[in-house]
Amino acid sequence: MKSFTDNRFGKYLLYALGEVILVVLGILIALKINNYNEDSKQAKVLEGILKNVSYDLQTDTIVMSQAITYYKARQEVSEKILADEYGPEELSKCLLCKNMLSSYYPLSINDKGYLQLKNFYEGQAERDTLVVDIVQFYKAFSNILDEIGGQVKENSLENIAVWREREPWFADMLRNKPSAAFVEYMQSQDYENRVAYFYLIACRNFIALMEQYKANAVEIIRLIDERYPEIGEEINSVAAGEPTKDTT
């Protein structure tokens, strides 16, 4: 009788143990599925964010190219002025000589995608190397671009303020009607000093920085396209005015 009871108890124990194992396996499978779904969800979120980053950078490269062209034209004129290649006649006919010290190219980078990526990056335990590279890229360039761009802007506004207060030819300069007094001023040491400072911050520092930003941006766009070829295709379709696919 005791052996029969022990046998029944052993079978019950095995049955109970089997039930526990099945429950544990069910929980593990459920967790695995949940983790997979969460990973898939996060991967989709990351893809959408990188799409925004790629679009921002492509827009930035266009704007950077325009700004570089803008300042390189002024760099060429500045170098001729500093090399004393312009006499009174050349200065009177030179349009950039008249306004390059009182104007600037407004420049700001698009950071909507970066801010989304930064928030995503800070919430992740594992680090995606591409995400790390992009975050470091923006950290390296955003502040210094703002700083040097701000210096160029402040210099232009300072020149305007000084000339407005002390120079009788100021209004004529704004109307692109250079007077003899303004042409004479453009041969002065004060004008040459202001050209030299503009050349330093805008033509040498700012152009070099924008070219570095553009080169790095192009490489990041390439890396994003390499991982998600459909992103590049969709952005190119938008640029060409073609309808995009409905992914909803």
Side-chain angles (χ1 to χ4, degrees):
M1 183 70 178
K2 183 177 180 183
S3 177
F4 176 75
T5 304
D6 290 344
N7 190 38
R8 287 186 60 188
F9 179 75
K11 289 182 178 180
Y12 174 78
L13 188 60
L14 287 173
Y15 174 78
L17 184 59
E19 287 290 312
V20 170
I21 292 173
L22 287 175
V23 170
V24 171
L25 285 174
I27 292 173
L28 291 175
I29 291 171
L31 288 173
K32 189 72 174 179
I33 293 173
N34 183 64
N35 288 339
Y36 174 79
N37 290 338
E38 184 62 28
D39 289 344
S40 297
K41 180 182 177 181
Q42 290 298 311
K44 197 68 179 176
V45 170
L46 178 59
E47 181 180 350
I49 292 173
L50 290 178
K51 174 183 174 181
N52 292 336
V53 171
S54 181
Y55 183 81
D56 286 347
L57 290 176
Q58 291 195 45
T59 303
D60 285 345
T61 57
I62 294 172
V63 174
M64 289 289 172
S65 295
Q66 294 170 343
I68 290 168
T69 299
Y70 176 92
Y71 283 110
K72 279 193 171 181
R74 285 149 182 78
Q75 178 180 16
E76 183 179 349
V77 171
S78 297
E79 288 172 348
K80 289 182 178 180
I81 292 172
L82 295 174
D84 293 327
E85 294 183 17
Y86 282 167
E89 183 177 352
E90 289 83 4
L91 288 171
S92 65
K93 295 177 180 178
C94 175
L95 293 177
L96 288 182
C97 297
K98 303 176 184 66
N99 60 38
M100 69 179 181
L101 299 185
S102 57
S103 60
Y104 63 94
Y105 192 100
L107 183 69
S108 62
I109 62 175
N110 293 282
D111 60 0
K112 177 183 176 182
Y114 162 63
L115 294 177
Q116 293 174 335
L117 188 64
K118 183 181 177 184
N119 291 333
F120 178 87
Y121 170 83
E122 292 173 349
Q124 298 299 305
E126 296 183 5
R127 298 307 189 198
D128 183 305
T129 55
L130 178 57
V131 173
V132 172
D133 288 344
I134 295 172
V135 170
Q136 294 302 320
F137 161 75
Y138 276 99
K139 284 184 177 179
F141 280 99
S142 58
N143 288 338
I144 192 168
L145 272 171
D146 286 343
E147 180 180 345
I148 296 183
Q151 290 177 3
V152 175
K153 176 182 177 179
E154 289 172 9
N155 180 57
S156 298
L157 297 178
E158 178 187 348
N159 290 334
I160 291 173
V162 170
W163 294 338
R164 180 191 63 202
E165 293 300 323
R166 78 181 191 190
E167 302 295 351
W169 43 255
F170 179 72
D172 290 336
M173 180 195 71
L174 294 182
R175 290 193 292 262
N176 276 326
K177 294 181 178 179
S179 62
F182 181 54
V183 173
E184 182 179 352
Y185 169 75
M186 287 192 289
Q187 300 171 70
S188 70
Q189 189 62 52
D190 182 72
Y191 177 77
E192 186 173 346
N193 288 344
R194 292 180 187 275
V195 171
Y197 184 65
F198 171 81
Y199 178 77
L200 174 64
I201 61 172
C203 302
R204 293 185 63 180
N205 295 347
F206 206 22
I207 289 176
L209 185 61
M210 288 187 290
E211 288 177 335
Q212 290 176 16
Y213 180 93
K214 181 182 174 182
N216 281 270
V218 168
E219 176 61 15
I220 290 174
I221 292 169
R222 186 191 68 79
L223 292 173
I224 294 174
D225 288 350
E226 190 176 87
R227 179 179 293 188
Y228 305 108
E230 63 276 11
I231 289 180
E233 293 172 3
E234 183 174 342
I235 291 175
N236 290 335
S237 296
V238 172
E242 300 173 6
T244 58
K245 295 179 181 179
D246 186 358
T247 56
T248 59

